[in-house]
Amino acid sequence: MTRYVVQRLGQMVPVVIGTTFLIYALVWSLPGDPFAAKCGDRPCPPTYVARMTAEYNLDDPLPLAYLQYMGNLFTGDFGQTFAGVPIADELLQRYPITLKLTVLAILVELVIGVAAGVLAGIRRGGFLDNLVLVSTLVVVSIPVFVLGMLAQVTFGVRLGWFPVTSDGTLYSLVLPAIVLGSLSLAFVARLVRANLVENLRTDYVRTAVAKGLTRQRVIGVHTLRNSLIPVVTFVGADFGGLLGGAVVVEGIFNIPGVGNMIFRGINAHEGATVTAAVTVLVLVFLFVNLLVDLLYAVLDPRIRHV
Amino acid sequence: MRGSARRGAMAAAALGLTLVLAACGGDDDNGDGGSGSEGTGSSDGPTGSVSINSTQPENPLIPTTTNEVGGGNIVDAMWTGLVSYDPDTAEPGLAMAESIEPNEDFTEFTITIKDGWTFHDGTPVTAQSYVDAWNFGAVGANAQLNQYFFGPDGANIAGFDTVAGQTDDTGAFVPGSATAETMSGLVVVDDKTFTVTLGSPNSLFETIIGYSAFYPMPESFFTDQAAFIEHPIGNGPFEFVEEVPNTSINLKAFADYQGDPKPQVENIEYRIYADLDAAYADVVANQLDILDKIPPVGLAGDVWKTDLEGRSASAPLTTRFTSMTFPLTNTEVWADPNLRKAISLAIDREAVIAAAYGPGNYVPATGWVPPGNDGYVEGTCGEWCEFDATKAQELYAQTAGVEGTLMIASNSDGGHREWVEAACTSIRETLGVDCQGDYDPDFGSFRGRVNANEIMSPFRTGWVADYPSIQNFLAPLYTANGSANDGGYNNPEFDALIQQAAGLEGDEALDLYNQAEELLAEDMAIVPLWYDNGQRGWSDNVNEPGFTWKGYVDPLSITVK
Amino acid sequence: MSRRRGTHVAAVPRSLAGDAWRDLRRSPLFLTSAAIILVLIAMAAVPSLFTDVDPRACDLAHSREAPSGSAWFGYDLQGCDMYSRTIYGARASILVGVLTTLVIAVVGSVVGMVAGFHGGRLDALLSRLTDLFFAVPMLLGAVMVLATFPSAVGTPAWQTIGKVVLALGILGWTTVARLMRSTVIQVKQSDYVQAARGLGAGAGRILLRHVLPNAMAPVVVYSTIILGVFVVLEATLSFLGIGLQAPVISWGTAISEARSYIRQSPHMLLFPGAFLSVTVLAFIMLGDAVRDAFDPRLR
């Protein structure tokens, strides 16, 4: 077990280095001139473009530019955005907000999703099952921007229950988290349902029932725990997805989060910004996935990590 | 006259606003509800706090390198230049200048500045503060974004070439190629006076120096730039308090401000929004005080008028002009003026505006200069800008026509995709030519293609004036060497008229500009589309604010209820 | 497509697949979903069967007009007939959704199955590779793919669609791989797999006959739902000008065009949205039915 964890931690090194190179290279090779938009409908003064190009190593061949970037990174220098803001400051400002939002959203999808999935799975084909199917379906097929705007207008502007936009405080993140979580809710609910239905048919459950255990106990202790493995896997992957992929919701609720930072960085061709933001994201993601893999053994005692 | 000069934000991707006609705010002294005044002087001090929508500044807050809206509005609130523009009429008027005296042929100007002005750090504003700032902006090694305002494209100060130096193939400044550190055209006479000599006659000099690139800089800027960027120091009505990156930039009223009018609000928060829709939701819910542009989500079906009942306004903008330009240098396809005219005739501007922006929210263009600018004449474009299906078809039949699909190039964001699609629909239905949008995902990629002269089909061109003058709508855009002549339009007759006009003043000059504009109608290489209207809203916490000639909030007009 | 697979396997009676096919033919869930999908396929293949209005004949004067007798679904922003555009939009949308889902399901399942079943170093290698692909933001990857193979006017529609599928699929498979790996790890511990192994069955046979049928449930669940997500994601790319381009019509583009008009003209969102929902519903039902039919534990 300890050996397994140490091994996994060791594997993170090549993944992180690989990620930095991959992302840096991709942004670096984006087509287009990063300074074409800086002067409105006329070209920028050539001296300005040349100065920025030199300052941000945009003229160097990719390997050289990358090595320079990594060299700075190892001395703790994350570089600057084109606007001159230290990237490290932006990371420190944005990650806590994004982490709060993500954890809230995961809570929403887990609590409601698992409950809905269990209700649907217990009586397959029953009324509750169909209700859960239809309602999750509706949520899935409404684009996130519609859901976000409807929630904002209804609960923020009309009813005034929540702030319309977020200032980063926990309470102001609740509404965006519900919107974010509701998308993945459908996946969680249906994964729980599908696995529950399968597991309820297994021999050990029949045995348990035959031995006279109550239905609640069979579902709660034996079946549900075993059914959670794909759910935990999905939530682990979703955690990473929400960290960097919440651009639309961040825009609607004006949350200064990481998704927006990555999006803006890609548009502005700021290799250093995108690489830094994504690398931190990958680190978090790797730890979460290690946790998920360790949870497998807890959820299903037959699984052993060697 | 209230209001400071508005910066020449040309960042056309994020569009903006208008100037409001309703002159509220300016001199009504709200906020003194009965409480005895305890401030110094006779009038009450500024009171209250307001929030205004903004975007994250893209550059440090240095006037010579700030050229987009987010940074520009803040720079304008923090500085007052020699000249500022009247918010209502856009007329330039003296602000920090006591007097500006030209010689006979507009090549030399003697500028005297007012007494008693200080920067926010308490140091005096002198003639030297201006001269140093302008030299800094022009010096090649400093590579400032607004450098061209000091050169032939702008004021054309004598000696610009000697400080700008040479650039190599990549555009980089060649170290050592500048033969001087200061422009010979700038001479300090005494603490309050300096003279400016120009490389060529320019009757618009007084108008041009209202632009933010010509603001003065304190001595501390030249000794420690890093500290200045952390905490910028200006000489205007509001001083810098703090910046929370990507969240807000906070200013407060400067107690020793010498200009007139004085600030009436104590604190201003420029709140950063990545998406204007969020700002709109906030202002509807009274959680943001002033919104200077209503996004499509509010414009469509005019819901903003009910969402913001009693706290919104709309007014025409004198500064923005959208057109469609035919590329003339990289392809022969568009060489026939009749083909260009037929396409212009086939665009139903009213219907396109109605579909893309909501009926009446933009104004169909009838020329190349928006109304409100000195020298504006209605209907210069004449019949060619009026939708006429029959005439379009007849004219089109006389031409070789478009082979295959007519493409209109633009960036897809910023609400442009909608109008391009609508214009294509109009052309397709009228001429029976297949028409499609040719999109880039963002403004940068699109401008990259335009700058590289790669686009072989008509493409979107938008212009935001740097200073309010017909000259600024014609010279940079359509003279052969103009810095923003994207389509390669080249008419020697046009160039000659523009050059001649620069040496004249008043109606004589305007007359020549008008003659030049008429040439554009004959050639129709640039199809006028529309002028912007500005729509804005405010919260229940503030009185109706005033807006500058560029359409952004005039911070001096803001009063809280 | 499901039909073809069905008939093909039906030729081998008494196999698991054969049993499944017999079950499917009697399942109302399957019959309903198959009927809906057939209609959708017909719509995608021959849209003119369903409407004789040209989806590209538009009139700005009708911009955003609400549904009426002359236009059942109303008009879109450009004054085009929404009904006709929704019918014609089926082809590109269903192609993008189904093909992308197939790509990610196949790639992800293979990677996840091999990683989970083999374990050890191969697992470590494949899992970390998955992490690497996961790290690339969708927008960045898609822009790169689509910029590498730019479309010009006159590029055949299937090529443009293929590129969008590639752009979405190349980064979309990682969650499938993780899901498959997780269930394979669980399933491979079970008695019947151990028994098969003990009887000397080869790895390939164990995987296909024993592990896959028991481990595919989560992947099927995920894939059927993500199908709808891909249709909407396509819209994001198209809206930016890098995905499908006119004259290709798609539901996604209509949905994202409706974005600013939800309050004023809900019909612009409602109809393409409803068609998308029904499509996703049909595939979810199909997934459920097929999974049940193949589940050995139900025998």
Side-chain angles (χ1 to χ4, degrees), chain C residues 87-273:
Chain C
I87 298 290
Y88 276 84
R91 182 182 299 172
S93 299
I94 293 177
L95 274 177
V96 167
V98 171
L99 291 180
T100 313
T101 305
L102 274 181
V103 168
I104 65 145
V106 170
V107 174
S109 295
V110 169
V111 172
M113 224 160 33
V114 172
F117 189 71
H118 197 280
R121 281 194 188 171
L122 192 59
D123 177 25
L125 184 72
L126 288 174
S127 295
R128 300 298 80 80
L129 196 70
T130 312
D131 292 339
L132 210 57
F133 271 85
F134 174 84
V136 181
M138 183 68 100
L139 176 76
L140 185 58
V143 170
M144 282 313 294
V145 170
L146 296 169
T148 314
F149 313 100
S151 297
V153 189
T155 307
W158 65 267
Q159 247 182 42
T160 338
I161 291 174
K163 281 185 295 191
V164 172
V165 170
L166 183 67
L168 292 174
I170 204 164
L171 299 177
W173 56 269
T174 56
T175 304
V176 174
R178 303 200 148 276
L179 279 175
M180 187 51 106
R181 175 176 170 272
S182 78
T183 31
V184 167
I185 287 178
Q186 198 177 10
V187 165
K188 81 172 173 188
Q189 317 287 342
S190 43
D191 308 336
Y192 51 86
V193 175
Q194 303 297 350
R197 209 194 284 265
L199 290 172
R205 189 179 161 79
I206 296 180
L207 269 179
L208 284 179
R209 295 295 305 242
H210 302 285
V211 176
L212 183 61
N214 286 292
M216 71 180 195
V219 171
V220 171
V221 167
Y222 177 81
S223 303
T224 49
I225 304 182
I226 201 82
L227 190 145
V229 177
F230 282 130
V231 172
V232 176
L233 262 182
E234 172 270 308
T236 312
L237 297 181
S238 301
F239 207 74
L240 289 172
I242 50 178
L244 303 179
Q245 288 308 308
V248 179
I249 298 168
S250 78
W251 296 337
T253 322
I255 289 173
S256 62
E257 198 180 69
R259 168 173 187 160
S260 296
Y261 307 96
I262 301 167
R263 287 170 63 196
Q264 301 84 357
S265 310
H267 71 269
M268 284 172 62
L269 177 73
L270 190 63
F271 293 108

Side-chain angles (χ1 to χ4, degrees), chain B residues 339-413:
Chain B
L339 178 61
R340 308 195 292 250
K341 284 175 182 165
I343 291 173
S344 174
L345 284 168
I347 301 175
D348 185 347
R349 291 167 178 74
E350 298 250 350
V352 172
I353 291 170
Y357 301 109
N361 285 329
Y362 281 61
V363 183
T366 60
W368 288 261
V369 182
N373 285 286
D374 241 11
Y376 162 76
V377 177
E378 204 192 333
T380 320
C381 182
E383 52 177 344
W384 306 123
C385 286
E386 275 165 42
F387 174 64
D388 187 331
T390 326
K391 212 192 307 174
Q393 287 154 8
E394 281 169 15
L395 199 60
Y396 185 74
Q398 298 168 23
T399 68
V402 178
E403 213 172 302
T405 304
L406 170 67
M407 309 290 285
I408 298 180
S410 171
N411 47 316
S412 57
D413 58 354

Side-chain angles (χ1 to χ4, degrees), chain C residues 1-12 15 17-22 24-25 30 294:
Chain C
M1 182 176 336
S2 52
R3 196 170 223 311
R4 222 185 37 209
R5 198 197 321 160
T7 6
H8 170 68
V9 225
V12 194
S15 70
D19 287 347
W21 172 235
R22 235 176 306 136
L24 278 178
R25 276 182 306 185
F30 172 77
F294 276 84

